[in-house]
Amino acid sequence: MKIVIIGSGNVATQLGKALRAANHKILQVYSRSESSAKTLAKKLSCSYTNDLKSISGQADLYLLAVTDSAIKEVLRDFEIRNATIVHTSGSVSIKAFEKKFKNYGVFYPVQTFSVKHNVNFKNIPVCIEANNPSTKKKITQLAKSITKKIHFINSDQRKKVHLAAVFANNFSNHLFAIAEHMLTHEKISFDLLRPLIPETALKIQHDSPLEMQTGPAKRGDIAVMEDHLKMLSNKKKFKEIYKLISESITEMSGMRL
Amino acid sequence: MKIVIIGSGNVATQLGKALRAANHKILQVYSRSESSAKTLAKKLSCSYTNDLKSISGQADLYLLAVTDSAIKEVLRDFEIRNATIVHTSGSVSIKAFEKKFKNYGVFYPVQTFSVKHNVNFKNIPVCIEANNPSTKKKITQLAKSITKKIHFINSDQRKKVHLAAVFANNFSNHLFAIAEHMLTHEKISFDLLRPLIPETALKIQHDSPLEMQTGPAKRGDIAVMEDHLKMLSNKKKFKEIYKLISESITEMSGMRL
């Protein structure tokens, strides 16, 4: 397929690379910032522009990989109305396209991306949605060329997936940051905890996290919990988080899925 | 070294296997439960007992790998007073030994263990503490035989490491369980999020979690956050956790380590 990539951030970069590796032809990269457009275009061996009016009309598919808040703005000025266009957002509804386009959809890869760290797309789940069967077929074909894991998910469900991903990814990262902060404060290297974190992640690849729960709250070990809260007495926010998550672990340990 | 292992749970099992693989001689396993003692003894090709009075007096080191709350009880009835004895707990002070023993310490591996999943000890950090130089030397020697990562950490610091590990391991696992719960409620497979979780963990192996933070709270994306809170309106605890962690992300993003 001939593809134009709109955006030059983490998702645009990693998706662009994966599509090119799967023998699609990247025609052009658009970014508001000319230097960012140029950087990504170089990686994908294609042309670039920072002017929405100069986007090529020749692509089979336009991949809109910009931040959520920029989607509206880009769509307002994007004038190739017969385009097949998809966005890559977890939280923006497919309705964002409905007034202006005939063939549109969503291509949401459930993964955390960064420009510098390349990922293997083959095992990354992609959530697909489309406004008609022919577009669905086209997007599915594109997804199949880079991943084995395709899920047909509507906009309401996708928002829930995105919310769950915020808990599993963004919020857990913040807990790692809290742990880092505590150790750094004690002049202890965060390296002491680094090996623990991937192990926790691997444990739940085949088991349910609910069943893998361990720790003082799960054991109901009041003495250790009180000791921990005492240690957190001058860290109000961390103390609140400790209490709230411990309560939630206790509540949930009686639950079944 | 000739070693007696007191305990038969996750830590006892994995540590026993690693020590045996490093050519130490496991003399005996003790567990309150005879069948658990027997199961582990079989894996380590040694004898077993469920009677503290029958523990062999011939070991160079006694490794106390029982749950925190059982340590006191075991020490009350353990009568080999000339033993060199260590516990493996993150949160119990070295003082637990002081009234009864002359040579004692702590051997705390910072990792999450399970009986069935074998780990490679080589990269697992071990925190060591001892009450005198000769015991410190002995424990260090033991640690060196199974890991490259040895940290000398006193009881107060070790408690902080343990608390940080509760955030990084137990609490992040609970966030995975919340994500699982949300998806299951929508009849969406948790497999959709599974690949995301190790990627999040890998990202912080070389970078600071504080710097790797992403998501709506980090971006200050109020619209998405309000939408998420609406979706959580009938899940009081999850909503509180969402609000509190988002606030904490915002507070911390202005911080430097």
Side-chain angles (χ1 to χ4, degrees):
Chain A
M1 265 185 228
K2 287 178 285 185
I3 297 165
V4 165
I5 293 178
I6 301 164
S8 59
N10 299 335
V11 178
T13 302
Q14 293 304 329
L15 211 42
K17 284 182 177 180
L19 290 168
R20 186 165 177 251
N23 294 318
H24 296 285
K25 169 84 184 151
I26 313 297
L27 290 185
Q28 195 182 29
V29 168
Y30 161 85
S31 170
R32 215 164 27 178
S33 143
E34 190 176 355
S35 73
S36 304
K38 190 176 173 180
T39 304
L40 181 54
K42 204 174 164 189
K43 287 177 191 162
L44 304 176
S45 309
C46 67
S47 67
Y48 63 92
T49 178
N50 68 341
D51 174 13
L52 280 167
K53 309 275 184 254
S54 306
I55 286 181
S56 161
Q58 306 303 311
D60 300 310
L61 193 111
Y62 294 80
L63 195 71
L64 183 53
V66 297
T67 56
D68 292 2
S69 53
I71 290 179
K72 219 181 199 171
E73 202 182 316
V74 170
L75 290 181
R76 198 186 52 213
D77 297 333
F78 181 88
E79 283 302 343
I80 308 166
R81 289 175 186 247
N82 64 346
T84 299
I85 185 165
V86 297
H87 73 61
T88 58
S89 163
S91 55
V92 174
S93 167
I94 193 173
K95 289 181 181 164
F97 297 111
E98 72 183 354
K99 286 187 181 145
K100 199 161 181 179
F101 301 93
K102 280 202 202 82
N103 299 304
Y104 53 84
V106 179
F107 185 102
Y108 168 50
V110 187
Q111 188 50 286
T112 172
F113 297 103
S114 58
V115 165
K116 61 179 181 175
H117 174 56
N118 290 338
V119 290
N120 179 358
F121 246 91
K122 210 178 66 201
N123 292 309
I124 296 178
V126 173
C127 297
I128 285 177
E129 187 178 5
N131 76 315
N132 61 45
S134 65
T135 304
K136 184 177 175 183
K137 199 177 156 189
K138 199 174 190 175
I139 304 173
T140 306
Q141 208 182 334
L142 188 78
K144 272 189 181 163
S145 71
I146 58 169
T147 179
K148 296 179 297 182
K149 298 186 177 170
I150 296 170
H151 297 257
F152 298 102
I153 298 271
N154 68 34
S155 287
D156 281 346
Q157 286 179 306
R158 183 161 34 80
K159 278 189 185 191
K160 303 250 165 82
V161 171
H162 180 248
L163 174 57
V166 167
F167 276 85
N169 171 24
N170 305 149
F171 287 0
S172 65
N173 185 78
H174 182 61
L175 298 180
F176 305 153
I178 291 176
E180 180 188 32
H181 181 87
M182 285 176 179
L183 293 191
T184 309
H185 189 77
E186 295 292 319
K187 312 228 186 304
I188 300 170
S189 166
F190 183 56
D191 284 346
L192 201 53
L193 284 185
R194 281 198 161 97
L196 175 66
I197 293 171
E199 193 66 25
T200 309
L202 287 176
K203 263 188 162 178
I204 55 101
Q205 289 303 302
H206 301 286
D207 289 296
S208 153
L210 183 62
E211 288 163 21
M212 299 312 282
Q213 188 65 53
T214 56
K218 182 63 199 301
R219 291 195 305 272
D221 192 333
I222 309 282
V224 168
M225 290 164 75
E226 279 177 356
D227 203 30
H228 283 167
L229 289 171
K230 240 179 263 167
M231 284 193 257
L232 292 170
S233 58
N234 59 348
K235 287 280 175 194
K236 189 170 167 285
K237 214 67 169 192
F238 298 170
K239 190 177 174 179
E240 282 178 57
I241 291 174
Y242 188 99
K243 278 171 93 164
L244 188 58
I245 297 191
S246 294
E247 281 168 23
S248 184
I249 289 172
T250 308
E251 273 183 27
M252 219 195 235
S253 69
M255 261 188 209
R256 290 190 178 276
L257 286 177
Chain B
M1 263 184 230
K2 288 178 286 182
I3 296 164
V4 165
I5 293 179
I6 301 164
S8 59
N10 299 332
V11 178
T13 302
Q14 294 303 329
L15 210 43
K17 283 182 177 180
L19 290 169
R20 187 167 177 248
N23 293 318
H24 297 285
K25 170 83 184 151
I26 313 298
L27 291 187
Q28 194 183 30
V29 167
Y30 161 85
S31 169
R32 212 164 30 178
S33 142
E34 189 175 358
S35 73
S36 304
K38 189 176 175 181
T39 304
L40 180 54
K42 205 174 163 187
K43 288 177 191 162
L44 303 177
S45 308
C46 66
S47 67
Y48 62 92
T49 178
N50 68 341
D51 174 14
L52 281 167
K53 310 272 181 259
S54 307
I55 286 181
S56 161
Q58 305 304 312
D60 300 310
L61 192 110
Y62 294 79
L63 195 73
L64 183 54
V66 298
T67 56
D68 292 1
S69 52
I71 290 180
K72 219 182 201 171
E73 201 182 319
V74 169
L75 289 182
R76 198 187 50 214
D77 296 333
F78 181 87
E79 285 302 340
I80 307 166
R81 289 174 187 248
N82 64 345
T84 298
I85 184 165
V86 297
H87 73 63
T88 58
S89 164
S91 54
V92 174
S93 168
I94 193 174
K95 290 182 183 164
F97 297 111
E98 72 185 351
K99 286 187 185 146
K100 198 162 181 178
F101 302 93
K102 279 201 204 82
N103 299 304
Y104 53 86
V106 180
F107 185 102
Y108 168 50
V110 187
Q111 188 50 285
T112 171
F113 297 102
S114 59
V115 165
K116 61 180 181 175
H117 174 55
N118 289 340
V119 291
N120 179 356
F121 246 90
K122 209 177 66 202
N123 292 308
I124 296 178
V126 173
C127 296
I128 286 177
E129 188 178 5
N131 76 314
N132 61 44
S134 65
T135 305
K136 185 178 175 184
K137 199 176 158 192
K138 196 173 192 178
I139 303 174
T140 306
Q141 208 183 336
L142 188 78
K144 272 189 182 163
S145 70
I146 58 170
T147 179
K148 295 180 297 181
K149 299 186 176 169
I150 295 171
H151 298 257
F152 298 101
I153 297 273
N154 68 34
S155 287
D156 280 347
Q157 287 179 308
R158 182 160 34 79
K159 278 189 184 191
K160 303 253 165 78
V161 172
H162 181 248
L163 173 57
V166 166
F167 276 85
N169 170 25
N170 304 150
F171 287 0
S172 65
N173 185 79
H174 183 61
L175 297 179
F176 306 152
I178 290 176
E180 178 188 33
H181 181 87
M182 285 176 177
L183 292 190
T184 308
H185 189 77
E186 295 293 318
K187 311 226 184 307
I188 299 170
S189 167
F190 183 57
D191 284 345
L192 202 52
L193 284 186
R194 281 198 160 96
L196 175 65
I197 292 170
E199 194 66 25
T200 308
L202 288 176
K203 263 187 162 177
I204 56 101
Q205 288 304 303
H206 301 286
D207 289 295
S208 152
L210 183 63
E211 287 163 23
M212 299 312 282
Q213 188 64 54
T214 56
K218 180 65 198 296
R219 291 194 306 273
D221 193 333
I222 308 280
V224 167
M225 288 164 77
E226 279 177 355
D227 204 29
H228 283 167
L229 289 171
K230 240 180 262 166
M231 282 192 258
L232 292 170
S233 58
N234 58 349
K235 287 281 174 193
K236 191 171 166 288
K237 213 73 175 186
F238 298 170
K239 191 177 173 179
E240 282 178 58
I241 290 174
Y242 188 99
K243 280 171 91 165
L244 187 59
I245 296 191
S246 294
E247 283 167 23
S248 183
I249 289 172
T250 307
E251 273 182 26
M252 221 197 233
S253 68
M255 260 186 213
R256 290 189 179 279
L257 284 179

